[in-house]
Amino acid sequence: MKLFSLETKSAVPKYKQLVQSVEVAILEKRIKKGDRLPSLNKVCLEFGISRDTVLLAYEELKKRGIVYAILGKGYYIKSVEFSFDHRFFVLFDELNSFKEDLYSSILEAIGEKAHIDIFFHHFNLAMFRKLINESKGDYSKYIIMPTNLVGAAAIIKTLPKNEVYILDQTNSELADYPSVYQNFVKDMYQALVQAKEKLAKYEQLILIFPGYKEPLGMVEGFLNFTTDFSFKHKVIPDFDMQTIEKGTVYVIPNDRHLVQVIEQAKLQNLDLGVDFGIISYNDTSLKKIVANGITTISTDFKAMGFTLVDMIFSNTKAQIENNSQLIIRASL
């Protein structure tokens, strides 16, 4: 059974003709899932083309999810479904309510243009490395949240540079990669400046910053503001049911600490927005109603997703800062 056909005078590159031959063979049911493709050397000899040309075709089929490779044995048909020209590898740090908004916007923007596989590294460098190493060559684009993982940049650089997009957090080591990111230093600073008149009613600001997964730029923006405008302040790593000091505004990136502070306020019979204040990070539907409304600093995660997908399909290579805003509610 002849699988491949090549037109030497065609304007279509030879590797693309090989890819199309496999697709046609699948449509005509001449090959099926699990079948082995001819070896690289066999195709080279049959058509008098270079090994690199055949390898390029097989790797393209691999990226599309049509074939898979077994080391030392060859290439096999993995799927007979090939309606997608693109397969995207998406690596998030974790899934929460606002990251779910981001993922949903990516899905909506992509529609039927590509197939997406999503993974989570949970701020674990070993898991980050494993997922990326296992994905190499299987996808046409790699959308990655490196967060603040030390060593993530070196792992990312093992992927084809033109296929990688950085999401949410970036750093100087990844400055050459296209990205849609949050500027945490500026976002924190500008939000506090916008809230300055309300903050003036309070005696001090406390940032609860564990430093595990939260971006360090938050601390820098917080300290820049408190220094520039002479606000009494502290940065603490945990709350853990401490006594709430009246006249304090708590800036809280972590929702677990947000719950702890609200619970402690109830135990002390304190009035949120009067006796003390709260500014939380990342807006959710629940924060609109909890305790009559929690003030938040939040980027637009839906816009982030749409911007990223537009960048990919327009082949734009840029570093785009996603907009952030302060949403003032009763907690301040």
Side-chain angles (χ1 to χ4, degrees):
M1 177 185 67
K2 190 174 178 63
L3 177 62
F4 296 111
S5 62
L6 287 180
E7 294 290 336
T8 56
K9 295 181 180 180
S10 173
V12 179
K14 290 183 176 62
Y15 87 92
K16 285 192 175 181
Q17 292 187 54
L18 295 176
V19 170
Q20 291 167 359
S21 293
V22 173
E23 292 176 340
V24 169
I26 291 173
L27 286 172
E28 295 177 350
K29 301 188 185 307
R30 289 186 283 116
I31 52 176
K32 62 184 185 298
K33 185 175 180 178
D35 284 352
R36 185 176 183 270
L37 294 178
S39 70
L40 299 177
N41 290 336
K42 184 176 181 180
V43 180
C44 292
L45 290 172
E46 181 179 354
F47 295 101
I49 57 179
S50 72
R51 182 182 174 88
D52 286 345
T53 298
V54 185
L55 182 60
L56 186 60
Y58 280 16
E59 287 299 309
E60 177 66 22
L61 288 164
K62 187 179 171 185
K63 287 181 181 179
R64 295 189 187 185
I66 297 173
V67 307
Y68 67 97
I70 298 178
L71 187 64
K73 292 187 176 182
Y75 291 81
Y76 296 80
I77 298 296
K78 179 179 181 180
S79 172
V80 294
E81 302 292 335
F82 56 89
S83 57
F84 299 104
D85 287 335
H86 302 282
R87 285 168 53 82
F88 290 177
F89 170 87
V90 178
L91 181 56
F92 274 25
D93 45 23
E94 63 182 354
L95 188 62
N96 47 41
S97 57
F98 41 90
K99 296 289 174 59
E100 189 173 353
D101 287 342
L102 171 57
Y103 182 57
S104 295
S105 70
I106 292 174
L107 288 177
E108 183 181 344
I110 288 175
E112 297 297 320
K113 297 176 185 176
H115 172 81
I116 292 180
D117 289 329
I118 185 168
F119 303 89
F120 303 92
H121 59 74
H122 300 291
F123 306 92
N124 183 304
L125 186 64
M127 178 61 69
F128 187 90
R129 180 185 294 106
K130 177 177 183 292
L131 291 170
I132 286 182
N133 285 343
E134 291 179 351
S135 75
K136 288 178 184 176
D138 290 342
Y139 296 89
S140 55
K141 301 296 177 188
Y142 296 82
I143 300 167
I144 300 173
M145 283 185 182
T147 63
N148 56 2
L149 284 175
V150 177
I155 298 168
I156 289 170
K157 288 176 182 179
T158 65
L159 294 169
K161 185 176 180 180
N162 289 335
E163 297 175 2
V164 175
Y165 292 79
I166 304 300
L167 194 59
D168 195 37
Q169 292 189 51
T170 189
N171 56 60
S172 59
E173 292 184 274
L174 298 170
D176 291 336
Y177 289 89
S179 61
V180 185
Y181 67 96
Q182 298 188 63
N183 185 331
F184 292 96
V185 177
K186 188 177 86 172
D187 292 347
M188 175 69 82
Y189 186 90
Q190 290 188 344
L192 295 177
V193 169
Q194 187 179 340
K196 184 162 68 76
E197 186 176 332
K198 292 185 177 294
L199 295 175
K201 299 184 299 181
Y202 298 88
E203 295 176 13
Q204 68 172 339
L205 275 64
I206 294 180
L207 172 63
I208 306 175
F209 190 82
Y212 165 53
K213 60 183 180 180
E214 296 78 13
L216 288 172
M218 292 180 176
V219 177
E220 185 177 346
F222 177 82
L223 294 177
N224 288 346
F225 170 80
T226 53
T227 300
D228 288 350
F229 296 97
S230 302
F231 274 86
K232 184 180 176 183
H233 65 276
K234 286 191 290 188
V235 178
I236 61 175
D238 203 354
F239 183 74
D240 196 23
M241 307 309 284
Q242 296 181 16
T243 299
I244 292 174
E245 303 174 49
K246 283 189 177 183
T248 297
V249 173
Y250 292 89
V251 182
I252 312 175
N254 187 301
D255 284 351
R256 178 175 63 85
H257 292 139
L258 174 63
V259 172
Q260 290 178 346
V261 170
I262 292 174
E263 287 180 339
Q264 183 61 29
K266 289 181 179 179
L267 291 175
Q268 294 180 224
N269 293 315
L270 297 178
D271 189 359
L272 178 58
V274 177
D275 296 321
F276 76 107
I278 287 177
I279 300 175
S280 177
Y281 225 94
N282 295 317
D283 200 40
T284 65
S285 297
L286 196 59
K287 291 175 187 178
K288 297 175 184 178
I289 56 175
V290 167
N292 296 318
I294 302 295
T295 295
T296 59
I297 303 169
S298 188
T299 198
D300 187 337
F301 284 101
K302 289 184 178 180
M304 181 181 285
F306 284 117
T307 300
L308 176 80
V309 174
D310 180 69
M311 179 188 292
I312 291 172
F313 286 116
S314 64
N315 199 30
T316 300
K317 303 296 183 182
Q319 292 76 41
I320 299 176
E321 189 177 302
N322 206 57
N323 289 331
S324 177
Q325 64 174 326
L326 174 72
I327 304 172
I328 296 179
R329 299 193 179 105
S331 72
L332 197 61

